[in-house]
Amino acid sequence: MAKSPGRAALAALPLLFLLLFYFYPLLSILGLSFAPAGRPDFSGLAALIARPYLLRVLWFTTWQAAASTALTLLLGLPAAYIYAHYDFPAKRLLRGLTTIPFVMPTVVVAAAFVTLLGPEGVINRALMRTLNLAAPPLDVLYSVGIILLAHVFYNTTVVMRIVGGFWANLDPRLEEAAAVLGASRLRRLTEVTLPLLAPSLIAAALLVFLFCFTSFGVILLLGGPRFSTVEVEIYRQAVNFFNLPLAALLSLLQLLLTFTLMAVYTRLQARAALPLNLRPQALALRRPAGWRSWAAVAGINTLLGVFLLAPLLALAVRSLTLGDHGLTLRYYTALRQNPTQSLFFAPPAEAIVNSIGFALAAVALALLLGLPAAYLLLARTPQGQPTRLARWLDPILLLPLGTSAVTLGFGYIIALDQPPLNLRTSLALIPIAYTLLALPFVVRSILPALRSLNPRLRESAALLGASPARVWREVDLPIIGRAVLTAAVFAFTISLGEFGATLLLAQPRTPTMSVIIYRGLGQPGLLNYGQALAMSTILMLVCLVGLLLIERLRTGEAEEF
Amino acid sequence: MSLVAPLLQVHAVTKTFAATPVLHGVSFEVAAGEIVCLLGPSGCGKTTLLRIVAGLEQADTGELHLGGQDLTAIPVHQRGFGFMFQDFALFPHRNVADNVAFGLRMAGTDKAAIQRRVAEMLALVGLSGYERRRVQELSGGQQQRVALARSLAPQPRLLLLDEPLGSLDRTLREELLDDLRAILKQAGITALYVTHDQQEAFAVADRVIVMNAGRIEQMGTPAAVYGQPASVFVARFLGMSNLLAGRVTAVSPQVQVATVLGVLHSAQAASSLQRGDAVQVLIRPDAARPAACTPDTPNCLATRLISASFRGSRLKAMLAVGDIPLTFELVGIEAARLPAPGAALTVLLAAEGVALLQAIT
């Protein structure tokens, strides 16, 4: 990359942004943890360690994440196997459907599970009606069970995509070679398949563990007050008890743990990328032969279909049928009214406008920073090596992915509330937080396209008579264009559904859709509940459209997480 | 073929993939210690046949016997065969020694014996000292040798090779071809070898089985198959394009056949031929040599040189008699004496180079 002032400025932009809105807030957390009154003070830390409270929170955070991961693998691995090895009718459509939960905002998932399994939920009502019961028989809301279920719901597709993608590309000849050399079915699995699959398996498990470890919305909304993960505790200490030093200490702990997990994950990712003589998927695919494999395919797909789609369907249906009015749009129309007549609450519909505004601002900002960042990452020295800047920038750009949104939001509150940067009451904080959270996804979406931009293509175009401007328009733009659009949609859906940081940063007068859903689910009354469902359904549909767009724009088989 | 009972017997094997028949009742035998090549164009069913013998695919009907034992019910991992894949399928997560040791470990061989055998095998393929190397670091030729050592290590009763040189470049292939036959013969192994390359088949095989569209076209020694192709397909597949319709006009003292080029004399034994038989006449590419002959000389053709291209030790010449194209390979000194393209050229055909193919297909 040639050195020029313009380019340098472009490179400085993402770095400056990260410095200001990522490292500075995190450093402030560090400061608040160990120097709450401006001088070093470790009493908070000592007190925290001394109390069983911390151990209790940590223990619950860890074991629920481990249990969620194990359960996710239990469902995800057979599904990954089926999708990697068999070709069956409507496979593309079914695979697309399994992706839906992953893009759903936590508030939507929480609302969906409440609608399906709550005391007023679809299943309880059906059981009460058919068995003539007076009280709902199923009492799972505010239990560990529903938390684990929601986590499995969320992450099954992660296992399917990571392990399944790897499995499908594994050379079937390796197993055949082992078979001819005398390895039984079991030994082929233990000697060949599992060792080769291991990096992807561990990577998937770690990622799921990380997601569940930092889970916020699901725990807060489905677990009720009895259950607290580190993430939820940061929020409670900061907002409910206003114990900022303790929240800071917890944030620091959370950062350390997630960074450790992220570091291990990235290492494994690099190892999984070793040359394995991967083959195009079509070679390994075959039609199910015999009733056993057909039964397996049908069974797994039914299970996935029911488990992954039932909650979302229940949500959509109940948002239209809640109460005893039959099919009704009253909860949707109610969104445009001001329910409490309170000075602080705007009509919920305004939250839709707010959310879209924030999300659009975040998309613009994320692209503005992400595009130059992606170009920087691919910069090469004349010897063809990544430049030093590129090698540094790569892990730094991934950091926000491993940073909990609540921690980030908390960092903004304590860091950006005084001159020269007093943004505490500014609406800008929300899109800035969104941008940070979306940035890793934006960069990762654009990178493969940029990388596939073979310089020979530009050379060929030039040799065929295209001027430089024409080359950019005819070659660069069509190839990168789709990726940029994908990145934009990604950023948009992530922003629209963001909950953790939003809850800390949103002003009472300018709530977002996720905040409205949270409030609606937490307040008594059928109207509040119905409005939450209606708003969730709208949010779900928007994310669904986003997912469809991403799938449409996707090119090639490879994906980078 | 040897006189001892065959080691492998393949009888009337059929296979259909998704309503497309791939093998139509294929039968053949392989004697102990013999190297047999299945030769044919891609899609002829040769690889499927090999995979059926290995137990990686199931035949729809037909029988497989090894040393008199029925193989049908024996799963792949209990057959005790060796198999070499086209791209070797070396285990990427294991080093060279562990790859070679894999089959021995599966058989429960003790550690010391494994170590001895691995060393022995690597010495056989010329890779001693490579034990700890990662397989990704090896060149294509070295990977091929490791794959060979791996499949030979457990002393398989039968070695199956699926285009084992297919993914190597031309020069390396030539070099490994001779080594491969020497190693197989030294190990005294019985082998079934699949390839689409006739040079490779001729170089490595004791016997060649030419396959076409799921059927066997011809079996025999390389020399027999090359010398007397059994069908037009085999002739064309072996790269012989000078084929003409003809009718036998005499069977003694020498076989003579009338073609559009006139009457040609053939050195072929008359055997079952009779006067008046309709035949396909094959003029082998190496049958012609430029000569100052006259039209009344038997097998003298007055041709026109269309083009000539230099191929190293030989020269490929495209000739025409009227509008009938003929392709010949000229060797040695004659090549330098060719006239300019377009000029007349008389050539004399050796009677040994004129073969009559019975079947008109």
Side-chain angles (χ1 to χ4, degrees), chain A residues 249-283:
Chain A
L249 268 172
L250 287 168
S251 296
L252 199 63
L253 181 72
Q254 180 81 327
L255 276 176
L256 280 176
L257 291 169
T258 50
F259 281 168
T260 312
L261 286 172
M262 268 308 279
V264 179
Y265 170 73
T266 347
R267 290 212 89 156
L268 284 168
Q269 273 271 297
R271 262 189 53 192
L274 278 184
L276 274 179
N277 190 18
L278 295 180
R279 313 186 66 81
Q281 306 193 353
L283 262 177

Side-chain angles (χ1 to χ4, degrees), chain B residues 40-63:
Chain B
S42 61
C44 74
K46 57 191 192 301
T47 293
T48 304
L49 185 56
L50 194 74
R51 290 172 61 85
I52 287 173
V53 173
L56 293 169
E57 305 275 357
Q58 290 293 314
D60 295 341
T61 61
E63 286 168 32

